Amino acid sequence: MVTVVLKRCVLLLFLCFTLTVVGQNKIFVNQVGFDFAGPKLAVLQTDKKTPTVGIFNIVNAADNKILYSGKPGSQKPLDEWFAGKVFYRLDFSNFRKPGCYKIHLKQGSRSVYSEEFVIVKDGLAGLTIPSIINYYHKQRANTPEELAADIKISPKGSSKKVDVRGGWADASGDISKYFSHLAYANYMSPQQIPMVAWSLINTSEAIPDLLKQLNATDSIEREALYGADYLMRSLTAEGYFYMIIFSHFNKDPAARDIVGLLANSVTTTDYQCAFREGGGMAIASLARISRWRKDGDFTAAQYLEGAKRAFAHLLVNNSKYTDDGKDNIIDDYCALMASTELWISTNESLYQEEARKRAHNLVNRMSPAGYFMANDAGRPFWHGADAGLPIVALARFLDIEKDPATRTLVLNTIKKALDYNLSVTSNVANPFNYARQSFLYKGKVKDGFFIPQENETGWWWQGENARLASLATAALVGGRLVYPGKGPYGVKPELASYASDQLSWILGGNPYNMCFMYGYGKKNVPYMAALFGHGSQKGGISNGITGKEGNGDGTGIDFKIHADGNEWRWTEQWLPHAAWFLQAVTAMAEKPAPRFKVAALAENGGHHLAYTKAAKVWLNKLAADSNFVIDYYDNPEPLVKAGLNSYQLIIQLDYPPYSWKKEAEEAFKDYIDKGKGGWLGFHHATLLGEFDGFPIWQWYSDFMGGIRFKNYIPEFADGIVHVETITNPVMKGLPSSFIIKKEEWYTYDRSPRLNKDIQVLASVDEKSYTASGTVKMGDHPVVWTNKSKKAKNIYIFMGHGPELFSNPYYLKLFKNALFWTAKP
């Protein structure tokens, strides 16, 4: 279905482009597309003297029919970039109809239109991932010239020949191959080819269903394995990776050699990768892909052996390979990625210990201000490409780390980092919501939009599209852990908008109206050719926008298509941009892992069938809204076979405690006594006694307070329930009393309150019954818990008829009890 929709949208997009309204365009919008359920924002630019704008419209691109209208946000100046201009945010997130559209508004007598965009299910992931995969396929360094040179290439200063075929050409203007460069600058090493490999592997694992719909499963797996093979060829017998295959920008393939690199293309023999110089991400990629049990030119076993060998080597030699001889934050997060993937792959204590050490290092690098420190003290961490990687690495670590104390520390660190990202971005007028940062400039910490042009490299500053996509990724993968939400992407709205706005900037929602993903949108940078037939490719992403050229602190704004040969700073495609964009759209499309699993046990018939059917409708919606999984069983035996321990909660939804087979009784008893999960029981769960020829289950009777069913009100009665233990989370938000209508009101041979292990949370006032009769027991608890059991447990008597699901107090009680018992 997704493929069909995407084909329709591509056709609509083609038609839209033929209908573009001629005239000055002052509405800046993502020119590719939005997820119909996600945030959708654009920016309007006007002169300060222009009258305030009233409304804007979303119109059908084919016929300009108005389909949605909204009010612009408040007026925001941005004098650092454009004096005399003001900007408005145009929010149309509530418009969710798939199709091809433009934004329209009236300014005086003139109509202003945005470029076209589409709205589609799975949004940017569905629209762009096939092209990104194809971009990397086209970037393969596999032309005859490259293959002939790289199969017998020499490390600088050596006459030996080694085979380092494969990999991807770095940029549309540079066909060298880099694990990382800028190593000499210490705090700015970007992750290049190894990051591409890890990103492809991550997407392949994270969204398999979407990839299948896009017919992209095989192509992304082949590309990831191709990348892993290059990492293996770059791994030496000694255990280090070669860092750079440098072309010297020479047309002669024989000029290529293996080097380390300084500024201005000065080469060295320091070509061994430290963790921060691509070694860590290469290990992470090899360890992760080894779990596929698939072979490329190397086997899955060789991938894992290579990762382990390289990790062991760097544990001993990392400081020898770093430029300054000591680890910094980049070593920490790259080594964390490496050790985490090895821990997941092997479950060996060495990798657990190293991962925890690096995670604690990152925790300790968190400053009171909320940004990470790059060094021991003084320099805030900022990065032109991988700014979000510390959060991504910590989030990946939490995929396996179960220690509560460590998890708490890491989660608090992720939360502080995300809070900082939001606050530093919003503490000035910022209508594009461009991700800002803090950096050290001339001895002082300063906040800014763009990276400082005067930095440790001496020359390297360029457009920051990789940085933006990395921060978008961090907002989503980190946000799901510390700020989960029911809305778009599973995070709170501020993080969803932050992530969406960074990608919108890349795709045309910027002040230059430039879509930096080649082959998409209305306006791209010019084609850039490279040696050996390489050049700009569809799906590749250019560097993007910078601070004003010449401003050492990165202030102002600049974008140039022509700059006397230096236009590459803005227009050149670069591997990390598309890699981080791929991670970001993957995170947008990824369905968050379920918070927990629930097994609901209910009879398939009998007097309570109508209640059960209503309960299933309500529970299914709650599960979808709150991201948990619920499975239904109509007797205990298949539940036992499925494995009680695979569920964090068992709901006994009107299922009686008799006729259970011995195996089921023992499994349930073990589950409750050992606290392997929680339990929530309703109504029929206290039908304790000799029924249908079955004896009373004594352990279960004791679990319920030592009670035995005695009688019930067959004509039903309304009753007032009084809350007794207001401090228990199950009673949160409930009034002191509430009415339950048309209930049977069971009685027992004794009150469960008499049992010292029972805590009563609520009871019914028998004097409030609307039906007369003698079916009463005096003290009449109806909600209670057994405090002696390791399993969190709640029994709620009310549960006979479907009318209960129209009672807001009952629903509140049910929901509270479910989430309390499901939480360890």
Side-chain angles (χ1 to χ4, degrees):
M1 181 62 183
V2 172
T3 302
V4 173
V5 172
L6 291 177
K7 287 180 178 177
R8 289 174 181 169
C9 289
V10 170
L11 177 60
L12 282 169
L13 200 57
F14 173 78
L15 293 173
C16 289
F17 290 161
T18 68
L19 296 167
T20 301
V21 176
V22 178
Q24 185 178 8
N25 191 324
K26 295 185 180 180
I27 301 173
F28 308 114
V29 68
N30 167 354
Q31 299 168 20
V32 179
F34 297 93
D35 187 334
F36 75 90
K40 305 173 194 69
L41 295 108
V43 177
L44 167 68
Q45 174 189 300
T46 71
D47 295 328
K48 286 185 177 180
K49 296 179 180 180
T50 300
T52 301
V53 177
I55 62 170
F56 68 93
N57 303 307
I58 305 299
V59 301
N60 191 307
D63 59 14
N64 289 336
K65 180 181 178 182
I66 296 175
L67 301 173
Y68 177 89
S69 296
K71 292 184 178 180
S74 59
Q75 187 184 97
K76 293 182 182 295
L78 195 45
D79 290 339
E80 181 184 325
W81 292 357
F82 304 106
K85 305 293 184 183
V86 292
F87 300 86
Y88 303 82
R89 281 172 71 79
L90 311 179
D91 188 341
F92 53 105
S93 300
N94 291 331
F95 182 64
R96 298 187 172 192
K97 183 178 180 181
C100 186
Y101 306 103
K102 297 177 290 187
I103 303 173
H104 163 263
L105 58 83
K106 295 279 287 186
Q107 286 187 284
S109 60
R110 187 167 63 89
S111 285
V112 178
Y113 291 89
S114 73
E115 300 295 354
E116 295 84 4
F117 55 88
V118 298
I119 295 175
V120 64
K121 185 178 181 294
D122 293 317
L124 292 176
L127 290 168
T128 64
I129 284 177
S131 292
I132 294 172
I133 298 170
N134 186 64
Y135 159 69
Y136 284 119
H137 188 75
K138 294 291 187 180
Q139 283 296 108
R140 287 186 176 191
N142 63 355
T143 64
E145 298 92 338
E146 291 164 301
L147 290 174
D150 292 349
I151 198 171
K152 48 179 179 53
I153 196 168
S154 295
K156 182 180 177 67
S158 171
S159 60
K160 73 175 181 179
K161 302 293 183 181
V162 295
D163 178 2
V164 285
R165 288 169 293 144
W168 297 283
D170 186 63
S172 56
D174 183 359
I175 47 77
S176 302
K177 301 187 296 190
Y178 302 92
F179 268 53
S180 180
H181 73 301
L182 309 179
Y184 67 94
N186 294 315
Y187 303 112
M188 292 185 64
S189 297
Q191 306 307 303
Q192 293 169 256
I193 284 178
M195 175 59 74
V196 173
W198 194 88
S199 300
L200 291 165
I201 298 165
N202 177 70
T203 295
S204 182
E205 293 181 5
I207 51 172
D209 292 342
L210 179 58
L211 291 172
K212 185 176 181 180
Q213 293 177 54
L214 297 171
N215 294 317
T217 301
D218 291 342
S219 59
I220 197 169
E221 287 184 356
R222 286 194 298 268
E223 209 61 35
L225 288 165
Y226 171 84
D229 287 338
Y230 177 68
L231 302 181
M232 286 296 295
R233 290 194 188 94
S234 299
L235 179 60
T236 65
E238 294 87 343
Y240 63 81
F241 295 98
Y242 290 125
M243 192 187 312
I244 296 168
I245 312 301
F246 195 47
S247 72
H248 297 270
F249 306 101
N250 193 319
K251 294 181 180 179
D252 181 4
R256 295 160 72 89
D257 59 357
I258 298 171
V259 302
L261 204 59
L262 302 178
N264 301 316
S265 300
V266 175
T267 60
T268 75
T269 57
D270 296 327
Y271 42 68
Q272 304 88 354
C273 290
F275 278 122
R276 69 181 180 230
E277 296 160 358
M281 287 305 302
I283 293 166
S285 298
L286 291 172
R288 188 168 185 177
I289 206 168
S290 74
R291 298 195 294 274
W292 288 9
R293 302 292 188 266
K294 294 184 178 182
D295 301 339
D297 290 343
F298 295 83
T299 66
Q302 287 175 312
Y303 294 144
L304 181 58
E305 185 279 329
K308 295 172 74 171
R309 177 158 48 94
F311 190 83
H313 182 85
L314 284 181
L315 284 183
V316 175
N317 296 287
N318 193 64
S319 61
K320 299 177 185 176
Y321 300 153
T322 60
D323 186 73
D324 56 358
K326 57 184 179 181
D327 286 7
N328 64 33
I329 189 173
I330 307 181
D331 294 284
D332 282 337
Y333 60 66
C334 290
L336 176 59
M337 291 292 275
S339 52
T340 294
E341 295 296 354
L342 281 166
W343 182 11
I344 296 171
S345 296
T346 68
N347 200 32
E348 293 179 12
S349 59
L350 168 66
Y351 307 120
Q352 179 192 63
E353 293 166 4
E354 289 297 321
R356 286 176 172 170
K357 181 182 78 173
R358 294 294 183 167
H360 280 279
N361 286 354
L362 288 176
V363 168
N364 292 333
R365 289 187 185 279
M366 174 53 61
S367 71
Y371 50 73
F372 290 100
M373 300 303 298
N375 59 2
D376 296 335
R379 186 192 188 278
F381 171 71
W382 60 271
H383 203 281
D386 304 320
L389 190 46
I391 295 173
V392 172
L394 289 171
R396 183 62 175 160
F397 168 70
L398 291 180
D399 284 343
I400 187 171
E401 177 58 79
K402 304 303 179 187
D403 176 64
T406 302
R407 287 187 64 87
T408 297
L409 286 172
V410 171
L411 288 169
N412 286 340
T413 300
I414 292 173
K415 183 178 182 297
K416 289 176 183 177
L418 293 180
D419 288 345
Y420 157 77
N421 287 347
L422 292 178
S423 64
V424 74
T425 295
S426 62
N427 63 12
V428 297
N430 189 359
F432 291 90
N433 204 24
Y434 188 92
R436 287 163 51 83
Q437 66 218 304
S438 299
F439 50 83
L440 191 68
Y441 181 71
K442 294 187 175 179
K444 294 183 178 180
V445 175
K446 180 176 181 177
D447 297 344
F449 287 97
F450 301 104
I451 64 172
Q453 294 176 15
E454 292 179 15
N455 57 59
E456 291 92 342
T457 67
W459 67 277
W460 192 88
W461 53 273
Q462 61 182 52
E464 305 170 24
N465 286 334
R467 182 179 81 88
L468 301 184
S470 78
L471 290 169
T473 305
L476 300 181
V477 300
R480 286 175 183 150
L481 294 171
V482 298
Y483 286 119
K486 297 179 183 179
Y489 315 136
V491 297
K492 70 177 184 177
E494 295 88 343
L495 288 172
S497 293
Y498 176 90
S500 180
D501 287 339
Q502 307 318 308
L503 300 195
S504 286
W505 175 279
I506 295 170
L507 298 176
N510 57 68
Y512 296 95
N513 200 30
M514 182 67 65
C515 180
F516 291 105
M517 178 172 274
Y518 197 75
Y520 283 83
K522 182 66 174 179
K523 189 178 180 183
N524 291 159
V525 303
Y527 178 86
M528 180 177 286
L531 295 174
F532 309 144
H534 291 296
S536 302
Q537 300 291 341
K538 182 178 181 180
I541 296 175
S542 301
N543 289 335
I545 298 165
T546 68
K548 188 70 175 177
E549 186 175 16
N551 287 2
D553 61 356
T555 53
I557 189 168
D558 220 343
F559 175 73
K560 297 179 181 180
I561 290 177
H562 303 289
D564 297 324
N566 287 317
E567 58 274 3
W568 66 269
R569 293 193 184 276
W570 298 277
T571 62
E572 185 178 39
Q573 289 183 353
W574 188 41
L575 292 180
H577 296 314
W580 274 116
F581 189 94
L582 178 62
Q583 286 197 47
V585 297
T586 297
M588 287 179 169
E590 185 177 7
K591 303 298 182 281
R595 294 164 64 184
F596 50 84
K597 290 181 66 179
V598 177
L601 186 61
E603 289 180 298
N604 188 21
H607 298 299
H608 301 119
L609 184 58
Y611 171 87
T612 299
K613 287 182 176 179
K616 286 182 177 180
V617 172
W618 182 78
L619 282 167
N620 288 340
K621 185 177 187 307
L622 182 66
D625 291 344
S626 303
N627 188 33
F628 66 87
V629 171
I630 185 162
D631 297 327
Y632 296 97
Y633 297 89
D634 58 12
N635 71 75
E637 280 67 45
L639 171 57
V640 171
K641 289 181 180 179
L644 272 66
N645 297 349
S646 63
Y647 295 98
Q648 286 71 54
L649 173 64
I650 295 173
I651 300 179
Q652 205 164 321
L653 198 64
D654 273 337
Y655 198 91
Y658 64 86
S659 80
W660 294 42
K661 292 183 179 179
K662 194 64 177 177
E663 181 184 4
E665 288 184 352
E666 291 300 319
F668 183 79
K669 178 177 178 291
D670 181 71
Y671 183 87
I672 299 297
D673 285 345
K674 293 182 179 178
K676 294 180 177 179
W679 177 84
L680 177 57
F682 290 89
H683 199 55
H684 225 167
T686 55
L687 197 61
L688 287 152
E690 286 75 24
F691 293 97
D692 299 326
F694 294 95
I696 191 170
W697 180 1
Q698 192 57 52
W699 175 89
Y700 194 104
S701 175
D702 294 340
F703 175 40
M704 289 292 97
I707 62 174
R708 179 186 288 259
F709 172 83
K710 185 176 181 181
N711 208 343
Y712 73 104
I713 301 176
E715 65 270 32
F716 301 99
D718 298 352
I720 297 176
V721 173
H722 296 298
V723 174
E724 295 190 24
T725 310
I726 60 174
T727 56
N728 190 290
V730 174
M731 313 314 286
K732 184 178 180 181
L734 287 168
S736 58
S737 299
F738 54 92
I739 295 175
I740 294 293
K741 295 184 177 182
K742 293 182 64 177
E743 191 51 86
E744 292 179 299
W745 306 110
Y746 288 1
T747 62
Y748 311 104
D749 63 340
R750 65 194 297 256
S751 169
R753 193 192 306 273
L754 298 175
N755 189 303
K756 63 180 177 58
D757 295 327
I758 297 299
Q759 180 184 32
V760 175
L761 306 185
S763 58
V764 65
D765 181 357
E766 295 181 336
K767 295 178 182 178
S768 69
Y769 287 167
T770 56
S772 61
T774 59
V775 184
K776 297 178 181 177
M777 59 182 285
D779 176 28
H780 197 157
V782 291
V783 184
W784 66 80
T785 181
N786 187 323
K787 297 184 296 180
S788 71
K789 300 299 181 183
K790 288 186 177 180
K792 284 186 173 181
N793 62 89
I794 293 290
Y795 173 70
I796 298 172
F797 161 74
M798 296 79 73
H800 178 83
E803 303 85 2
L804 288 165
F805 291 93
S806 298
N807 185 327
Y809 305 119
Y810 182 78
L811 296 181
K812 183 68 175 175
L813 175 63
F814 197 148
K815 184 176 180 180
N816 286 351
L818 186 151
F819 285 112
W820 184 73
T821 50
K823 187 176 180 180

